[in-house]
Structure formats: structure tokens, C-alpha cells
Amino acid sequence: MDMLGTALSTKRIDTLTLSYNNLDYTSLTTSYLENTPNVRYLKLVGNPLQDVSTALQFVTAISNNEHMEKLEMKECGLGGNRPTRRTLKGLLEYYCGLGGNNDLLQSMLPYLGMLNSVNIGYNDITSNDVPCICSFIASNPHVKLLNLSFSEFNDSDAIKFVNALETNSNLQRMLLNGTEMTEKGKAMINAVAENRPKLSVPMKDAIQPRGMDRPDVPNLLKYEYWRSCGYDMGASKSLVAFQNNLNGIGSGSYKDSSFLCFKGSDERRGLRGEFVDIDIDAYWVCEDQMYSYDPFIAYHASLLPKWRCALKELQNNSSRNVNMVRIKRVQLVSNVVDLLGNALSTKNIVQLTLARNRLDREGYHSLSKYLEKKSPL
């Protein structure tokens, strides 16, 4: 990073993206940012910050750069809810619940007030971080766009945001998508936005199950259920999206499932690299969620009824012409493989791809039973 930073600082670069690179912030700061480069947009998604002193050196260099306008730091562990795992102390904190980076945001935000855009969503930010965020907003910084999406904010936090916005005249867009605010909290913030024509505050809900009106579909488990099981926000949203997409496999409803590919020269099919008919890949439901650089859907017993319903529907739908199937980054247990084998044995399958499925001995046994059946595979 030292050599790269020194080389880059001599070039006129408008946008620099260094996402998911296990970034050394100290090296980036000393070799590049402190040389006052011309960069206007710095995107550092998926590079966790280690400590407050490193963060202060980093944001000080940013504040001293007259060219910088936009900073994006999603998935950088800035919230107080998730300790860093890059040091022994961080590992102990992460796995033993001994604490987190509660001071990172409080230390960094005062130095970011001169930027036009600050994107710090997807950072496990919680109510514990709201006081410093609201203090930043109330100080009326130059920031016009502030993204705080997929943070664990509640209705009590909404009141604090309302109070902070009263003294802010510069903010034009504050994103609060995917929080845990109810309609009550959203209404309070919307009331402020309605009195300020230039202020927009998108607050889309977390993903909720579709197909609840179908009597033949088992109850689709909502976001709140997965949270109660101990999953974090990103994983909970991904599991809801996974159920939604399974819902369309048997019926063949393309509009309801990103796991299905259109026939012919559909653009989505080309992007997948293979002209498969069914592509059950965690990537399609985790790409907008936490830690999307390494998506995976682990098996949970509560998912079995959903698997059973979707695969039974596929098995019984004789009009569905399925030839190529890929299942990737999704855990398959023997019960699911049995259901999958029964469904696929009724189709003219010529290509089956299973990748990163954590198959165990029983899973391989179930797969062998399918292969022993009459099939053109």
C-alpha cells in the first residue's frame, strides 16, 4: 500500500475504490491521503477499521483534503455492536461479547462535516451510536447526503433524529432503509421532512415474505423470527429473501424469484455464466445484505417446510421443462437432497451443478440415490 499510495498520489484520480482489500488504513493515510491527492470520491467498503487512533489519523487527512466530496464506508465495523476480528483482543471481544468499537463513530464524524456525501450504512450501528450521530446532524455540517441504512434504530431513536434535524438546514437526503422503526417512528421523521421540501428521508422496510395469501404455502417466516433466533440484521433479511425466491421455483413465476432464468437470450442468464433454468445461489439474495462479498445460506430446520413445498410443486408440475440446475452457496442436508432428487427425477435434467453446499456423508448418500435413478444426467 505504501508504494501504491505514493504512486497514486502523483496522478489525477477522481474516484478511488479499494473495497474488500483488508486495507491498512495507516499506510493509506500516510502514503496517499496526507499527500493531498485530487480524489473526490473514496470508496472503502468492507475494510474494517481497527482502532480509534487509526481512525482519527484517517479522518484528519480527509478533512484536510480540499478536493474530497464523497466517502463510502459500508461494512467497515463502525458501529458499537460488532467488535473487530482482526486482532486477538478483537477476536475475544467478538466471540465472548466483551465489547465493541463504541468510540469509532464518535471520533470520526466531527471530521467529516465538510463532505457532500457520507455513506456509513451496513455497519451494525445501533441505538448506542445515535447520540453521536444526532450531535453530528444537529451541528449542521455541510453534508447533503447521509446514508444510515440497515442500522438497528427504533422509535425512541426517531425522536432523537427529529430533534437533531430541527437545527440542520443543509441535509437534503438521509437514508434510513431497513431499520427497526415502526410506522410510529417513521411518521415522526416524515412530519419533519414534509415541512422541509428539500429534505428526503427514504425509510423502506426490511424485506418481508411474499405469498402469505397462498393457502398451499407454509407460513413464511418473517424478519423478526430470524432476529429472535439470534441472526444479525443482514442474515435475517437474507433468509427472508431466500424464502421469497424459493416460493416461485415450483410455479415458475419469474417475477417472484431471482432463482429462475428466462428462456432464450435473457440478460440475467448471460450474467450467470451458464444458461441454467434454476439457479439457487445465495448471491442473488445476499448481494444487498451484510457481508455480501462472501454470501452463504446455512441450513435451518425451519426452512425445511419451505424446501418441501417448493420442490413438491416442481415435482408435480409436469408442464415445467427444466434441464439445467445449479445450487451454489446454499447448505444442503440429506432431507433437502432427498426432496431435490425426487423433484429432479421427474425432469429431463442434463446438467446439475452443486457447489459450496457443505454436503456431509448422509447428504452424499441421498445424492447417490438420485443418481441411481433413471436419468439422462
Side-chain angles (χ1 to χ4, degrees):
M1 189 65 230
D2 287 338
M3 292 186 289
L4 178 62
T6 302
L8 291 176
S9 63
T10 64
K11 308 300 179 182
R12 295 186 64 85
I13 298 176
D14 180 81
T15 300
L16 178 61
T17 300
L18 296 170
S19 298
Y20 307 115
N21 273 300
N22 197 27
L23 190 64
D24 184 337
Y25 279 90
T26 300
S27 179
L28 173 70
T29 302
T30 56
S31 65
Y32 182 65
L33 294 177
E34 290 181 352
N35 291 323
T36 318
N38 292 305
V39 65
R40 294 191 305 112
Y41 176 19
L42 188 59
K43 185 175 181 179
L44 305 176
V45 177
N47 293 295
L49 261 170
Q50 299 181 45
D51 52 66
V52 172
S53 60
T54 301
L56 280 174
Q57 184 184 18
F58 168 69
V59 293
T60 299
I62 287 180
S63 66
N64 292 331
N65 189 326
E66 60 182 4
H67 305 287
M68 190 78 69
E69 296 179 3
K70 186 176 180 180
L71 177 65
E72 183 172 350
M73 294 187 68
K74 295 188 297 186
E75 301 178 32
C76 289
L78 303 183
N81 190 42
R82 183 177 294 273
T84 179
R85 287 176 282 179
R86 296 182 61 184
T87 63
L88 177 58
K89 178 176 180 290
L91 283 169
L92 291 173
E93 290 176 342
Y94 182 83
Y95 289 109
C96 300
L98 300 179
N101 296 322
N102 292 302
D103 299 326
L104 277 177
L105 279 179
Q106 184 175 355
S107 303
M108 294 173 63
L109 286 175
Y111 292 86
L112 304 179
M114 81 297 177
L115 299 177
N116 286 332
S117 174
V118 177
N119 187 342
I120 51 175
Y122 297 86
N123 266 299
D124 284 309
I125 295 173
T126 70
S127 297
N128 294 331
D129 303 299
V130 169
C132 70
I133 295 173
C134 287
S135 176
F136 174 68
I137 294 173
S139 67
N140 199 26
H142 181 70
V143 175
K144 293 180 174 59
L145 186 150
L146 179 61
N147 191 343
L148 299 168
S149 294
F150 295 94
S151 299
E152 298 182 32
F153 299 147
N154 54 42
D155 289 346
S156 297
D157 299 324
I159 300 174
K160 299 173 184 177
F161 281 117
V162 167
N163 294 333
L165 288 169
E166 288 180 354
T167 57
N168 186 298
S169 59
N170 290 322
L171 193 60
Q172 297 179 5
R173 188 171 175 83
M174 182 170 71
L175 284 80
L176 294 173
N177 296 320
T179 70
E180 298 182 348
M181 292 183 189
T182 67
E183 293 304 317
K184 177 182 177 181
K186 294 177 184 178
M188 289 187 283
I189 295 178
N190 280 329
V192 176
E194 288 173 359
N195 293 325
R196 289 177 50 183
K198 293 185 178 181
L199 177 62
S200 170
V201 187
M203 292 181 285
K204 296 180 181 178
D205 289 330
I207 301 173
Q208 292 296 342
R210 298 188 299 265
M212 299 296 287
D213 56 337
R214 290 185 54 187
D216 58 324
V217 173
N219 289 335
L220 301 184
L221 302 171
K222 296 184 178 182
Y223 166 82
E224 291 79 11
Y225 170 80
W226 298 109
R227 289 289 284 160
S228 70
C229 292
Y231 291 92
D232 63 21
M233 291 185 71
S236 298
K237 291 176 174 64
S238 296
L239 284 164
V240 174
F242 181 72
Q243 293 178 95
N244 285 341
N245 282 276
L246 276 181
N247 196 44
I249 289 178
S251 62
S253 177
Y254 298 115
K255 67 177 181 179
D256 290 334
S257 180
S258 60
F259 292 160
L260 296 173
C261 302
F262 290 95
K263 299 291 184 182
S265 58
D266 174 48
E267 181 181 359
R268 286 195 303 169
R269 291 165 65 88
L271 289 174
R272 295 167 194 245
E274 299 178 50
F275 292 135
V276 293
D277 301 304
I278 295 179
D279 187 12
I280 303 177
D281 189 341
Y283 177 80
W284 304 116
V285 295
C286 296
E287 57 182 335
D288 291 329
Q289 310 298 343
M290 299 288 284
Y291 314 115
S292 55
Y293 52 91
D294 188 25
F296 187 82
I297 295 293
Y299 176 76
H300 190 283
S302 297
L303 290 174
L304 184 58
K306 186 64 248 171
W307 274 109
R308 182 180 292 113
C309 178
L311 294 175
K312 278 286 187 181
E313 191 171 13
L314 176 64
Q315 178 180 347
N316 296 330
N317 191 342
S318 58
S319 63
R320 288 291 312 283
N321 183 21
V322 177
N323 303 120
M324 302 184 192
V325 175
R326 175 169 61 182
I327 303 179
K328 188 176 182 181
R329 291 177 278 226
V330 175
Q331 185 177 4
L332 298 177
V333 298
S334 59
N335 288 341
V336 174
V337 178
D338 284 335
L339 295 169
L340 179 67
N342 291 335
L344 297 187
S345 62
T346 64
K347 309 300 176 183
N348 187 34
I349 302 297
V350 297
Q351 178 179 308
L352 174 63
T353 302
L354 300 178
R356 290 191 61 188
N357 305 122
R358 298 184 185 175
L359 285 172
D360 57 13
R361 185 180 182 87
E362 292 182 351
Y364 276 110
H365 179 68
S366 296
L367 180 61
S368 298
K369 290 192 296 183
Y370 161 65
L371 296 174
E372 290 171 357
K373 296 179 181 179
K374 184 178 180 180
S375 171
L377 182 69

